[in-house]
Amino acid sequence: MARLLAKAKEVREALYPVLQQSAFAERGVLTPDEFVQAGDELVGKCPTWAWAAGDASRRKNYLPADKQYLVTRDVPCAQRASTVEGCGEQIETEGDFVVPKVTAPSSTEAEVDDVCASLEEASLQVADDAAAPATLQTRRYDLSITYDKYWQSPRMWLFGYNEQHAPLTQKQTLEDIVSAYALRTVTFERHPHLADLPHASIHPCKHPQAMKRILDQAARNGKGVDPAQALFFFLKFIANMVPTIDYDFTHDAVAG
């Protein structure tokens, strides 16, 4: 049944038309071109993220061949989500899905800077803690962001490893996701660009509405949000779902 459902979703997306005209301000959605622009902005400001081509047989012709999805690897997750479960208070239930509450930034540029500022902090912390023994509970995640043509929105994918770098089970992965979202907003599906084990996927059906609320509040505050900055806000509200996966504390920061 799961395979049939997955196949049905793939067919649905394949048949759905590509969004050609920008509707970011009206509906909080992105065209493929806007997704690429937003990805370029993220990679430029946060170089721990990179573009990837993925499996050539799964390439989407509405995206550049070398910019099929965004990825950051080996991201530490030192605690289970239950240790910070209080962050689940900032949620809203919409139908069958749970979404984070979102607020508009006082400054668009400040929000972008805030998402990236911890890269420098990560480097300093790693330097301070270099001699400290590794905790037995630290896991690692590869995170990726794809473009969902049907929902016209970014979509987050997670694949985790334990301390011995063996893939996490689905049950273990759910331990790192706030319980309000587990198996409601977060499900396990095949990655659209990779031929490997199922990934945890944060369903994008409510992402445009969340983005639209940010845009509307920003407009009321006399601020504008450019589509190229969309992924910074996207990462902000995704962080509410996976608060212990420190995706600013990435491999490049450790190496640097």
Side-chain angles (χ1 to χ4, degrees):
M1 179 62 70
R3 289 185 178 180
L4 289 175
L5 183 59
K7 187 63 177 178
K9 289 180 178 179
E10 289 178 7
V11 171
R12 179 187 68 179
E13 181 168 351
L15 296 176
Y16 204 75
V18 176
L19 181 65
Q20 301 288 349
Q21 299 295 322
S22 179
F24 184 66
E26 295 79 14
R27 297 192 286 119
V29 297
L30 295 174
T31 66
D33 286 346
E34 288 173 334
F35 173 74
V36 171
Q37 293 168 11
D40 287 343
E41 188 77 5
L42 178 64
V43 170
K45 289 187 176 292
C46 300
T48 49
W49 287 89
W51 282 109
D55 188 329
S57 66
R58 300 185 180 184
R59 192 163 293 159
K60 313 299 182 184
N61 60 13
Y62 47 84
L63 293 170
D66 60 342
K67 295 181 178 182
Q68 293 285 297
Y69 67 100
L70 293 144
V71 63
T72 184
R73 303 185 189 279
D74 204 26
V75 179
C77 178
Q79 304 178 73
R80 307 292 70 84
S82 60
T83 64
V84 292
E85 197 71 18
C87 71
E89 296 171 0
Q90 297 301 310
I91 63 172
E92 298 174 336
T93 301
E94 297 186 1
D96 293 333
F97 289 90
V98 177
V99 296
K101 289 183 179 179
V102 291
T103 56
S106 58
S107 164
T108 300
E109 286 301 324
E111 186 76 2
V112 171
D113 291 343
D114 182 52
V115 173
C116 295
S118 59
L119 290 173
E120 181 177 355
E121 295 172 7
S123 298
L124 294 174
Q125 178 167 328
V126 169
D128 291 341
D129 297 343
T135 60
L136 295 178
Q137 62 199 32
T138 298
R139 298 169 174 177
R140 299 278 169 173
Y141 276 87
D142 293 342
L143 307 181
S144 57
I145 304 172
T146 64
Y147 178 76
D148 191 295
K149 181 161 71 91
Y150 183 80
W151 294 107
Q152 301 167 345
S153 172
R155 183 169 189 166
M156 177 70 83
W157 302 80
L158 307 92
F159 194 86
Y161 304 88
N162 67 16
E163 299 81 355
Q164 291 75 43
H165 207 68
L168 297 178
T169 66
Q170 292 186 8
K171 180 179 179 181
Q172 289 171 323
T173 300
L174 291 175
E175 293 172 351
D176 296 324
I177 297 166
V178 171
S179 60
Y181 304 107
L183 295 179
R184 295 186 69 184
T185 305
V186 180
T187 55
F188 292 87
E189 304 180 29
R190 186 174 72 170
H191 194 287
H193 296 286
L194 301 173
D196 54 14
L197 297 173
H199 285 54
S201 171
I202 298 177
H203 201 277
C205 66
K206 299 300 181 183
H207 293 349
Q209 292 94 318
M211 187 66 69
K212 184 64 166 65
R213 289 199 295 270
I214 292 174
L215 297 176
D216 289 347
Q217 184 60 52
R220 287 192 289 269
N221 294 341
K223 307 293 182 181
V225 178
D226 190 282
Q229 296 163 323
L231 287 178
F232 296 101
F233 299 100
F234 172 78
L235 289 173
K236 272 294 188 183
F237 62 76
I238 291 296
N240 291 324
M241 304 182 189
V242 288
T244 60
I245 301 178
D246 298 323
Y247 50 70
D248 284 332
F249 287 50
T250 55
H251 180 73
D252 286 355
V254 174

